[in-house]
Amino acid sequence: MTNSEERAEDTCPLVYQCRLPLSTRTVNHLADLLRRHLKVIRSQWRILPPGKIAMIVLAVLRHDQRLADMAGGNNVSESTVRRWRDELIGLLAAQAPRLDRALKKIARQGGEVVLIDGNLIRTQRRTGKADRRNYSGKHRSHGLHFLALTDEKGRLIWISAARPGRTHDNTAARHDHLLTHLRAAGLGALADLGFRGLDNDILDPLIVTGYTASRTHKLTPGQKEANRVLAIGRAPVEHGFVHLKNWRILIKLRTDPARATHLLRVLLVLTNLEINR
């Protein structure tokens, strides 16, 4: 057996075209945001125009394209694409709404309740003891936990910070002072059984979670009907998660977990641009 060092004839880098299923409005929003930023920092020159940079960054977020692949297809370096991505992520994350302002906006629009749920972004498993807290026993996977709020139609209005995967829904909600903000806005919330115990007000609870059965206590027909009605009311929150996870970069996060919060807020802004067009 001999080793051949001969290369195949006519070898060259291959470039292919891929459709980006996003609206022109989203691309223009990113391009205009970058133009204004360049004017502020007095650096109006880039090797590619702002519209092209916006397309590259959106392809990275939507299709989870590797930075090296996007760099090679556009004749720039991988570090340049990474710098563009981080630059636009920082600009977009600053546009994400705060919790108190998002709830007050819903109240001004005549809303009475919001929908809340927790979810997990799966991440690569890392070595060392520090990664143990990222393991979620519920999902049996390593990841980062976050909360999301939607309106009654399932449109995302707020996303919390990313926390270790073992974080409980109630712990995250208490850390964000969710009850205080709901009370200040005069709103209630519909949630699943994972939020039981968060609101101890029995007579007038802000967060409705339904009833649960035990070995010694079976649900009555009325409680089963109440759970069914609550499940119907909560169903749109899953639509919000579906729209969010259309951004394939969230399928399995490979970036630094410390940057996951900024990434989630960026995808919230982009999702609303697409859904509310």
Short mmCIF file of all heavy atoms in Angstrom, two decimals, residues 206-269:
data_model
loop_
_atom_site.label_atom_id
_atom_site.label_comp_id
_atom_site.label_asym_id
_atom_site.label_seq_id
_atom_site.Cartn_x
_atom_site.Cartn_y
_atom_site.Cartn_z
N LEU A 206 -52.02 35.84 41.14
CA LEU A 206 -51.61 36.48 39.88
C LEU A 206 -51.25 35.45 38.83
O LEU A 206 -51.43 35.67 37.64
CB LEU A 206 -50.42 37.41 40.13
CG LEU A 206 -50.68 38.70 40.92
CD1 LEU A 206 -49.39 39.47 41.12
CD2 LEU A 206 -51.70 39.57 40.18
N ILE A 207 -50.70 34.32 39.28
CA ILE A 207 -50.25 33.27 38.36
C ILE A 207 -51.14 32.05 38.55
O ILE A 207 -51.20 31.46 39.64
CB ILE A 207 -48.78 32.90 38.61
CG1 ILE A 207 -47.89 34.13 38.36
CG2 ILE A 207 -48.35 31.76 37.71
CD1 ILE A 207 -46.43 33.88 38.55
N VAL A 208 -51.84 31.66 37.49
CA VAL A 208 -52.75 30.52 37.53
C VAL A 208 -52.03 29.31 36.93
O VAL A 208 -51.54 29.36 35.80
CB VAL A 208 -54.04 30.81 36.72
CG1 VAL A 208 -54.97 29.62 36.77
CG2 VAL A 208 -54.71 32.06 37.27
N THR A 209 -51.95 28.23 37.71
CA THR A 209 -51.19 27.05 37.27
C THR A 209 -52.04 25.79 37.16
O THR A 209 -51.54 24.76 36.72
CB THR A 209 -50.04 26.78 38.25
OG1 THR A 209 -50.56 26.58 39.57
CG2 THR A 209 -49.05 27.94 38.27
N GLY A 210 -53.28 25.81 37.58
CA GLY A 210 -54.09 24.61 37.47
C GLY A 210 -53.96 23.71 38.69
O GLY A 210 -53.34 24.06 39.70
N TYR A 211 -54.56 22.53 38.58
CA TYR A 211 -54.61 21.58 39.69
C TYR A 211 -53.77 20.35 39.36
O TYR A 211 -53.61 19.98 38.20
CB TYR A 211 -56.05 21.15 39.96
CG TYR A 211 -56.97 22.30 40.32
CD1 TYR A 211 -57.72 22.94 39.33
CD2 TYR A 211 -57.09 22.74 41.64
CE1 TYR A 211 -58.57 23.99 39.66
CE2 TYR A 211 -57.93 23.79 41.97
CZ TYR A 211 -58.67 24.41 40.97
OH TYR A 211 -59.49 25.45 41.29
N THR A 212 -53.25 19.72 40.41
CA THR A 212 -52.47 18.50 40.24
C THR A 212 -53.03 17.41 41.14
O THR A 212 -53.52 17.69 42.25
CB THR A 212 -50.98 18.74 40.57
OG1 THR A 212 -50.25 17.54 40.38
CG2 THR A 212 -50.81 19.23 42.01
N ALA A 213 -52.96 16.19 40.67
CA ALA A 213 -53.47 15.05 41.44
C ALA A 213 -52.33 14.40 42.23
O ALA A 213 -51.16 14.61 41.94
CB ALA A 213 -54.10 14.02 40.50
N SER A 214 -52.69 13.64 43.22
CA SER A 214 -51.73 12.88 44.02
C SER A 214 -52.29 11.48 44.27
O SER A 214 -53.40 11.15 43.83
CB SER A 214 -51.45 13.60 45.35
OG SER A 214 -52.63 13.65 46.14
N ARG A 215 -51.54 10.68 44.98
CA ARG A 215 -52.01 9.31 45.26
C ARG A 215 -53.25 9.31 46.15
O ARG A 215 -54.09 8.43 46.03
CB ARG A 215 -50.90 8.53 45.94
CG ARG A 215 -49.69 8.25 45.03
CD ARG A 215 -48.65 7.42 45.77
NE ARG A 215 -47.52 7.10 44.91
CZ ARG A 215 -46.46 6.40 45.29
NH1 ARG A 215 -46.41 5.93 46.55
NH2 ARG A 215 -45.47 6.17 44.45
N THR A 216 -53.35 10.28 47.00
CA THR A 216 -54.47 10.31 47.94
C THR A 216 -55.58 11.27 47.52
O THR A 216 -56.63 11.30 48.14
CB THR A 216 -53.98 10.71 49.34
OG1 THR A 216 -53.35 11.99 49.27
CG2 THR A 216 -52.98 9.68 49.86
N HIS A 217 -55.31 12.07 46.48
CA HIS A 217 -56.30 13.06 46.07
C HIS A 217 -56.46 13.01 44.56
O HIS A 217 -55.53 13.32 43.82
CB HIS A 217 -55.88 14.46 46.51
CG HIS A 217 -56.78 15.55 45.97
ND1 HIS A 217 -58.06 15.75 46.45
CD2 HIS A 217 -56.59 16.46 44.97
CE1 HIS A 217 -58.62 16.76 45.78
NE2 HIS A 217 -57.75 17.20 44.88
N LYS A 218 -57.63 12.59 44.11
CA LYS A 218 -57.93 12.56 42.69
C LYS A 218 -58.63 13.86 42.29
O LYS A 218 -59.34 14.46 43.09
CB LYS A 218 -58.83 11.36 42.36
CG LYS A 218 -58.25 10.02 42.76
CD LYS A 218 -56.93 9.75 42.05
CE LYS A 218 -56.39 8.37 42.44
NZ LYS A 218 -55.08 8.09 41.78
N LEU A 219 -58.42 14.25 41.07
CA LEU A 219 -59.03 15.48 40.58
C LEU A 219 -60.53 15.29 40.39
O LEU A 219 -60.99 14.25 39.90
CB LEU A 219 -58.39 15.92 39.26
CG LEU A 219 -56.92 16.32 39.31
CD1 LEU A 219 -56.45 16.77 37.93
CD2 LEU A 219 -56.70 17.43 40.33
N THR A 220 -61.27 16.29 40.77
CA THR A 220 -62.72 16.27 40.55
C THR A 220 -63.01 16.63 39.10
O THR A 220 -62.14 17.19 38.39
CB THR A 220 -63.40 17.29 41.48
OG1 THR A 220 -62.98 18.62 41.11
CG2 THR A 220 -63.05 17.02 42.93
N PRO A 221 -64.21 16.33 38.60
CA PRO A 221 -64.56 16.73 37.22
C PRO A 221 -64.40 18.22 36.98
O PRO A 221 -63.97 18.65 35.90
CB PRO A 221 -66.02 16.28 37.09
CG PRO A 221 -66.13 15.13 38.03
CD PRO A 221 -65.26 15.48 39.20
N GLY A 222 -64.72 19.03 37.98
CA GLY A 222 -64.58 20.47 37.82
C GLY A 222 -63.11 20.89 37.69
O GLY A 222 -62.77 21.78 36.90
N GLN A 223 -62.22 20.25 38.46
CA GLN A 223 -60.80 20.56 38.38
C GLN A 223 -60.21 20.10 37.04
O GLN A 223 -59.37 20.78 36.46
CB GLN A 223 -60.06 19.90 39.54
CG GLN A 223 -60.38 20.51 40.89
CD GLN A 223 -59.76 19.74 42.04
OE1 GLN A 223 -59.51 18.53 41.93
NE2 GLN A 223 -59.52 20.43 43.17
N LYS A 224 -60.67 18.95 36.56
CA LYS A 224 -60.21 18.48 35.24
C LYS A 224 -60.64 19.44 34.14
O LYS A 224 -59.88 19.73 33.21
CB LYS A 224 -60.75 17.08 34.96
CG LYS A 224 -60.16 15.99 35.84
CD LYS A 224 -60.74 14.63 35.50
CE LYS A 224 -60.14 13.54 36.38
NZ LYS A 224 -60.72 12.21 36.05
N GLU A 225 -61.84 19.94 34.24
CA GLU A 225 -62.33 20.90 33.25
C GLU A 225 -61.53 22.21 33.33
O GLU A 225 -61.21 22.82 32.31
CB GLU A 225 -63.82 21.17 33.47
CG GLU A 225 -64.43 22.18 32.51
CD GLU A 225 -64.41 21.70 31.06
OE1 GLU A 225 -64.24 20.49 30.83
OE2 GLU A 225 -64.56 22.56 30.16
N ALA A 226 -61.21 22.64 34.56
CA ALA A 226 -60.41 23.86 34.73
C ALA A 226 -59.02 23.68 34.13
O ALA A 226 -58.49 24.60 33.47
CB ALA A 226 -60.30 24.21 36.21
N ASN A 227 -58.42 22.51 34.29
CA ASN A 227 -57.11 22.24 33.68
C ASN A 227 -57.19 22.24 32.17
O ASN A 227 -56.27 22.71 31.48
CB ASN A 227 -56.57 20.89 34.17
CG ASN A 227 -56.01 20.97 35.58
OD1 ASN A 227 -55.86 22.06 36.13
ND2 ASN A 227 -55.70 19.82 36.15
N ARG A 228 -58.29 21.71 31.63
CA ARG A 228 -58.45 21.68 30.17
C ARG A 228 -58.57 23.09 29.61
O ARG A 228 -57.95 23.43 28.60
CB ARG A 228 -59.68 20.86 29.81
CG ARG A 228 -59.82 20.59 28.32
CD ARG A 228 -61.14 19.89 28.02
NE ARG A 228 -62.27 20.78 28.23
CZ ARG A 228 -62.69 21.66 27.32
NH1 ARG A 228 -62.08 21.77 26.15
NH2 ARG A 228 -63.73 22.44 27.58
N VAL A 229 -59.35 23.93 30.27
CA VAL A 229 -59.50 25.31 29.83
C VAL A 229 -58.18 26.06 29.92
O VAL A 229 -57.81 26.83 29.02
CB VAL A 229 -60.59 26.02 30.66
CG1 VAL A 229 -60.64 27.51 30.32
CG2 VAL A 229 -61.95 25.37 30.42
N LEU A 230 -57.42 25.82 31.00
CA LEU A 230 -56.13 26.46 31.17
C LEU A 230 -55.15 26.01 30.08
O LEU A 230 -54.38 26.83 29.55
CB LEU A 230 -55.56 26.14 32.55
CG LEU A 230 -54.18 26.71 32.87
CD1 LEU A 230 -54.21 28.23 32.84
CD2 LEU A 230 -53.68 26.21 34.22
N ALA A 231 -55.17 24.73 29.74
CA ALA A 231 -54.27 24.23 28.69
C ALA A 231 -54.57 24.87 27.35
O ALA A 231 -53.66 25.19 26.58
CB ALA A 231 -54.38 22.70 28.60
N ILE A 232 -55.86 25.08 27.07
CA ILE A 232 -56.24 25.75 25.82
C ILE A 232 -55.74 27.19 25.82
O ILE A 232 -55.23 27.70 24.82
CB ILE A 232 -57.76 25.69 25.63
CG1 ILE A 232 -58.22 24.24 25.42
CG2 ILE A 232 -58.19 26.56 24.46
CD1 ILE A 232 -59.73 24.07 25.36
N GLY A 233 -55.87 27.86 26.96
CA GLY A 233 -55.42 29.24 27.05
C GLY A 233 -53.92 29.38 26.96
O GLY A 233 -53.41 30.39 26.45
N ARG A 234 -53.19 28.35 27.44
CA ARG A 234 -51.73 28.40 27.42
C ARG A 234 -51.12 27.96 26.11
O ARG A 234 -49.92 28.18 25.86
CB ARG A 234 -51.15 27.50 28.52
CG ARG A 234 -51.24 28.04 29.93
CD ARG A 234 -50.38 27.19 30.86
NE ARG A 234 -48.98 27.22 30.47
CZ ARG A 234 -48.35 26.26 29.82
NH1 ARG A 234 -48.99 25.15 29.46
NH2 ARG A 234 -47.08 26.37 29.52
N ALA A 235 -51.88 27.33 25.25
CA ALA A 235 -51.33 26.74 24.02
C ALA A 235 -50.54 27.73 23.17
O ALA A 235 -49.49 27.37 22.63
CB ALA A 235 -52.46 26.11 23.21
N PRO A 236 -50.97 28.99 23.03
CA PRO A 236 -50.22 29.92 22.16
C PRO A 236 -48.78 30.18 22.60
O PRO A 236 -47.96 30.60 21.78
CB PRO A 236 -51.05 31.21 22.22
CG PRO A 236 -52.44 30.75 22.53
CD PRO A 236 -52.26 29.59 23.44
N VAL A 237 -48.44 29.93 23.88
CA VAL A 237 -47.06 30.18 24.30
C VAL A 237 -46.09 29.26 23.56
O VAL A 237 -44.94 29.63 23.29
CB VAL A 237 -46.92 30.02 25.83
CG1 VAL A 237 -46.98 28.56 26.23
CG2 VAL A 237 -45.62 30.64 26.32
N GLU A 238 -46.56 28.07 23.19
CA GLU A 238 -45.71 27.16 22.44
C GLU A 238 -45.43 27.68 21.04
O GLU A 238 -44.38 27.41 20.46
CB GLU A 238 -46.36 25.77 22.37
CG GLU A 238 -46.62 25.14 23.73
CD GLU A 238 -45.35 24.91 24.53
OE1 GLU A 238 -44.26 24.80 23.91
OE2 GLU A 238 -45.44 24.85 25.77
N HIS A 239 -46.39 28.44 20.48
CA HIS A 239 -46.16 29.04 19.17
C HIS A 239 -45.00 30.03 19.24
O HIS A 239 -44.21 30.14 18.30
CB HIS A 239 -47.42 29.74 18.68
CG HIS A 239 -48.62 28.83 18.58
ND1 HIS A 239 -49.91 29.30 18.49
CD2 HIS A 239 -48.71 27.48 18.59
CE1 HIS A 239 -50.74 28.28 18.42
NE2 HIS A 239 -50.05 27.16 18.49
N GLY A 240 -44.91 30.76 20.35
CA GLY A 240 -43.82 31.70 20.50
C GLY A 240 -42.47 31.00 20.52
O GLY A 240 -41.51 31.47 19.90
N PHE A 241 -42.39 29.86 21.20
CA PHE A 241 -41.13 29.11 21.24
C PHE A 241 -40.80 28.54 19.86
O PHE A 241 -39.63 28.47 19.48
CB PHE A 241 -41.22 27.97 22.26
CG PHE A 241 -41.06 28.43 23.68
CD1 PHE A 241 -42.09 28.30 24.59
CD2 PHE A 241 -39.87 29.00 24.11
CE1 PHE A 241 -41.95 28.72 25.90
CE2 PHE A 241 -39.71 29.43 25.41
CZ PHE A 241 -40.75 29.29 26.31
N VAL A 242 -41.81 28.14 19.11
CA VAL A 242 -41.56 27.61 17.77
C VAL A 242 -40.96 28.69 16.88
O VAL A 242 -39.98 28.45 16.15
CB VAL A 242 -42.86 27.07 17.15
CG1 VAL A 242 -42.68 26.78 15.67
CG2 VAL A 242 -43.31 25.81 17.88
N HIS A 243 -41.53 29.90 16.93
CA HIS A 243 -40.98 30.99 16.13
C HIS A 243 -39.55 31.31 16.55
O HIS A 243 -38.69 31.59 15.70
CB HIS A 243 -41.86 32.24 16.29
CG HIS A 243 -43.20 32.12 15.65
ND1 HIS A 243 -43.38 31.74 14.33
CD2 HIS A 243 -44.45 32.33 16.15
CE1 HIS A 243 -44.66 31.72 14.04
NE2 HIS A 243 -45.34 32.07 15.12
N LEU A 244 -39.29 31.26 17.86
CA LEU A 244 -37.95 31.57 18.34
C LEU A 244 -36.94 30.53 17.88
O LEU A 244 -35.82 30.87 17.46
CB LEU A 244 -37.97 31.65 19.87
CG LEU A 244 -36.67 32.09 20.55
CD1 LEU A 244 -36.35 33.54 20.20
CD2 LEU A 244 -36.78 31.92 22.05
N LYS A 245 -37.33 29.26 17.92
CA LYS A 245 -36.39 28.21 17.56
C LYS A 245 -36.31 27.95 16.06
O LYS A 245 -35.62 27.02 15.63
CB LYS A 245 -36.75 26.93 18.32
CG LYS A 245 -36.49 27.07 19.82
CD LYS A 245 -36.51 25.76 20.56
CE LYS A 245 -36.09 25.96 22.01
NZ LYS A 245 -36.04 24.68 22.76
N ASN A 246 -37.01 28.76 15.27
CA ASN A 246 -36.74 28.74 13.84
C ASN A 246 -35.34 29.26 13.54
O ASN A 246 -34.81 28.99 12.45
CB ASN A 246 -37.78 29.60 13.10
CG ASN A 246 -39.09 28.88 12.88
OD1 ASN A 246 -39.13 27.65 12.84
ND2 ASN A 246 -40.17 29.62 12.76
N TRP A 247 -34.77 29.98 14.49
CA TRP A 247 -33.37 30.40 14.37
C TRP A 247 -32.51 29.22 14.79
O TRP A 247 -32.40 28.91 15.97
CB TRP A 247 -33.11 31.63 15.23
CG TRP A 247 -33.99 32.79 14.86
CD1 TRP A 247 -35.22 33.09 15.37
CD2 TRP A 247 -33.73 33.77 13.85
NE1 TRP A 247 -35.73 34.20 14.76
CE2 TRP A 247 -34.84 34.65 13.82
CE3 TRP A 247 -32.66 34.01 12.99
CZ2 TRP A 247 -34.91 35.73 12.94
CZ3 TRP A 247 -32.72 35.08 12.12
CH2 TRP A 247 -33.84 35.93 12.10
N ARG A 248 -31.91 28.57 13.83
CA ARG A 248 -31.28 27.27 14.07
C ARG A 248 -30.02 27.35 14.93
O ARG A 248 -29.49 26.32 15.35
CB ARG A 248 -30.96 26.60 12.73
CG ARG A 248 -32.21 26.31 11.93
CD ARG A 248 -31.89 25.68 10.59
NE ARG A 248 -33.09 25.54 9.77
CZ ARG A 248 -33.07 25.14 8.51
NH1 ARG A 248 -31.93 24.84 7.92
NH2 ARG A 248 -34.21 25.05 7.84
N ILE A 249 -29.54 28.55 15.18
CA ILE A 249 -28.39 28.67 16.06
C ILE A 249 -28.73 28.20 17.47
O ILE A 249 -27.85 27.86 18.26
CB ILE A 249 -27.88 30.13 16.08
CG1 ILE A 249 -26.48 30.20 16.68
CG2 ILE A 249 -28.85 31.04 16.83
CD1 ILE A 249 -25.82 31.55 16.55
N LEU A 250 -30.04 28.13 17.79
CA LEU A 250 -30.48 27.67 19.11
C LEU A 250 -30.64 26.16 19.19
O LEU A 250 -30.94 25.64 20.27
CB LEU A 250 -31.81 28.33 19.48
CG LEU A 250 -31.78 29.83 19.77
CD1 LEU A 250 -33.17 30.31 20.16
CD2 LEU A 250 -30.78 30.18 20.84
N ILE A 251 -30.47 25.44 18.07
CA ILE A 251 -30.64 23.99 18.11
C ILE A 251 -29.62 23.38 19.07
O ILE A 251 -29.94 22.53 19.89
CB ILE A 251 -30.50 23.39 16.71
CG1 ILE A 251 -31.69 23.83 15.84
CG2 ILE A 251 -30.43 21.87 16.77
CD1 ILE A 251 -31.62 23.34 14.42
N LYS A 252 -28.38 23.81 18.94
CA LYS A 252 -27.34 23.40 19.88
C LYS A 252 -26.29 24.50 19.92
O LYS A 252 -25.50 24.64 18.99
CB LYS A 252 -26.71 22.06 19.50
CG LYS A 252 -25.86 21.47 20.62
CD LYS A 252 -25.51 20.03 20.35
CE LYS A 252 -24.83 19.41 21.57
NZ LYS A 252 -24.48 17.99 21.33
N LEU A 253 -26.32 25.27 20.98
CA LEU A 253 -25.49 26.47 21.06
C LEU A 253 -24.02 26.08 21.20
O LEU A 253 -23.65 25.28 22.04
CB LEU A 253 -25.93 27.30 22.28
CG LEU A 253 -25.47 28.74 22.31
CD1 LEU A 253 -26.10 29.51 21.15
CD2 LEU A 253 -25.87 29.37 23.63
N ARG A 254 -23.20 26.71 20.32
CA ARG A 254 -21.77 26.43 20.36
C ARG A 254 -20.96 27.65 20.80
O ARG A 254 -19.76 27.57 20.97
CB ARG A 254 -21.28 25.99 18.97
CG ARG A 254 -21.83 24.65 18.53
CD ARG A 254 -21.17 24.20 17.25
NE ARG A 254 -21.37 25.19 16.19
CZ ARG A 254 -22.45 25.24 15.42
NH1 ARG A 254 -23.42 24.36 15.58
NH2 ARG A 254 -22.56 26.15 14.48
N THR A 255 -21.62 28.79 20.97
CA THR A 255 -20.92 29.98 21.41
C THR A 255 -20.74 29.96 22.93
O THR A 255 -21.25 29.08 23.62
CB THR A 255 -21.70 31.25 21.01
OG1 THR A 255 -23.00 31.20 21.60
CG2 THR A 255 -21.84 31.34 19.50
N ASP A 256 -20.03 30.92 23.44
CA ASP A 256 -19.79 31.03 24.87
C ASP A 256 -21.12 31.22 25.60
O ASP A 256 -21.90 32.11 25.26
CB ASP A 256 -18.87 32.23 25.12
CG ASP A 256 -18.43 32.32 26.58
OD1 ASP A 256 -18.95 31.54 27.40
OD2 ASP A 256 -17.57 33.17 26.88
N PRO A 257 -21.42 30.38 26.62
CA PRO A 257 -22.68 30.54 27.35
C PRO A 257 -22.87 31.93 27.95
O PRO A 257 -24.00 32.37 28.14
CB PRO A 257 -22.58 29.47 28.44
CG PRO A 257 -21.66 28.44 27.88
CD PRO A 257 -20.66 29.20 27.06
N ALA A 258 -21.77 32.63 28.23
CA ALA A 258 -21.88 33.97 28.79
C ALA A 258 -22.54 34.94 27.82
O ALA A 258 -23.09 35.96 28.22
CB ALA A 258 -20.50 34.49 29.19
N ARG A 259 -22.51 34.62 26.53
CA ARG A 259 -23.11 35.49 25.51
C ARG A 259 -24.52 35.06 25.14
O ARG A 259 -25.14 35.66 24.27
CB ARG A 259 -22.23 35.51 24.26
CG ARG A 259 -20.82 36.03 24.51
CD ARG A 259 -20.04 36.09 23.21
NE ARG A 259 -18.70 36.63 23.42
CZ ARG A 259 -17.81 36.80 22.45
NH1 ARG A 259 -18.13 36.47 21.22
NH2 ARG A 259 -16.62 37.29 22.73
N ALA A 260 -25.01 34.01 25.77
CA ALA A 260 -26.32 33.47 25.39
C ALA A 260 -27.45 34.45 25.67
O ALA A 260 -28.43 34.51 24.93
CB ALA A 260 -26.57 32.15 26.11
N THR A 261 -27.34 35.24 26.74
CA THR A 261 -28.39 36.20 27.06
C THR A 261 -28.54 37.23 25.96
O THR A 261 -29.66 37.54 25.52
CB THR A 261 -28.08 36.90 28.40
OG1 THR A 261 -28.08 35.92 29.45
CG2 THR A 261 -29.13 37.95 28.71
N HIS A 262 -27.43 37.79 25.49
CA HIS A 262 -27.48 38.75 24.39
C HIS A 262 -28.07 38.11 23.15
O HIS A 262 -28.87 38.73 22.43
CB HIS A 262 -26.08 39.29 24.10
CG HIS A 262 -25.68 40.41 25.00
ND1 HIS A 262 -25.19 40.18 26.26
CD2 HIS A 262 -25.69 41.76 24.83
CE1 HIS A 262 -24.91 41.35 26.84
NE2 HIS A 262 -25.21 42.31 26.01
N LEU A 263 -27.68 36.86 22.88
CA LEU A 263 -28.19 36.18 21.70
C LEU A 263 -29.70 35.99 21.77
O LEU A 263 -30.41 36.21 20.78
CB LEU A 263 -27.49 34.83 21.54
CG LEU A 263 -27.92 33.97 20.35
CD1 LEU A 263 -27.65 34.70 19.04
CD2 LEU A 263 -27.22 32.62 20.37
N LEU A 264 -30.22 35.59 22.92
CA LEU A 264 -31.66 35.41 23.08
C LEU A 264 -32.41 36.71 22.85
O LEU A 264 -33.47 36.72 22.20
CB LEU A 264 -31.97 34.86 24.47
CG LEU A 264 -31.68 33.38 24.71
CD1 LEU A 264 -31.79 33.05 26.18
CD2 LEU A 264 -32.61 32.51 23.88
N ARG A 265 -31.89 37.80 23.36
CA ARG A 265 -32.56 39.09 23.18
C ARG A 265 -32.52 39.54 21.72
O ARG A 265 -33.47 40.16 21.23
CB ARG A 265 -31.92 40.12 24.10
CG ARG A 265 -32.24 39.84 25.57
CD ARG A 265 -31.44 40.69 26.53
NE ARG A 265 -31.84 40.39 27.91
CZ ARG A 265 -31.17 40.79 28.97
NH1 ARG A 265 -30.07 41.52 28.84
NH2 ARG A 265 -31.60 40.47 30.18
N VAL A 266 -31.43 39.24 21.04
CA VAL A 266 -31.34 39.55 19.61
C VAL A 266 -32.40 38.77 18.84
O VAL A 266 -33.11 39.32 17.98
CB VAL A 266 -29.94 39.21 19.08
CG1 VAL A 266 -29.92 39.18 17.56
CG2 VAL A 266 -28.93 40.23 19.58
N LEU A 267 -32.54 37.49 19.14
CA LEU A 267 -33.51 36.66 18.41
C LEU A 267 -34.95 37.07 18.75
O LEU A 267 -35.84 36.91 17.93
CB LEU A 267 -33.28 35.19 18.74
CG LEU A 267 -31.90 34.65 18.34
CD1 LEU A 267 -31.80 33.16 18.62
CD2 LEU A 267 -31.60 34.93 16.88
N LEU A 268 -35.17 37.60 19.95
CA LEU A 268 -36.49 38.15 20.29
C LEU A 268 -36.81 39.32 19.37
O LEU A 268 -37.92 39.41 18.82
CB LEU A 268 -36.50 38.59 21.75
CG LEU A 268 -37.69 39.45 22.20
CD1 LEU A 268 -38.98 38.66 22.10
CD2 LEU A 268 -37.48 39.95 23.62
N VAL A 269 -35.86 40.24 19.20
CA VAL A 269 -36.08 41.40 18.34
C VAL A 269 -36.32 40.97 16.90
O VAL A 269 -37.24 41.44 16.22
CB VAL A 269 -34.88 42.36 18.43
CG1 VAL A 269 -35.02 43.50 17.41
CG2 VAL A 269 -34.75 42.93 19.83
#
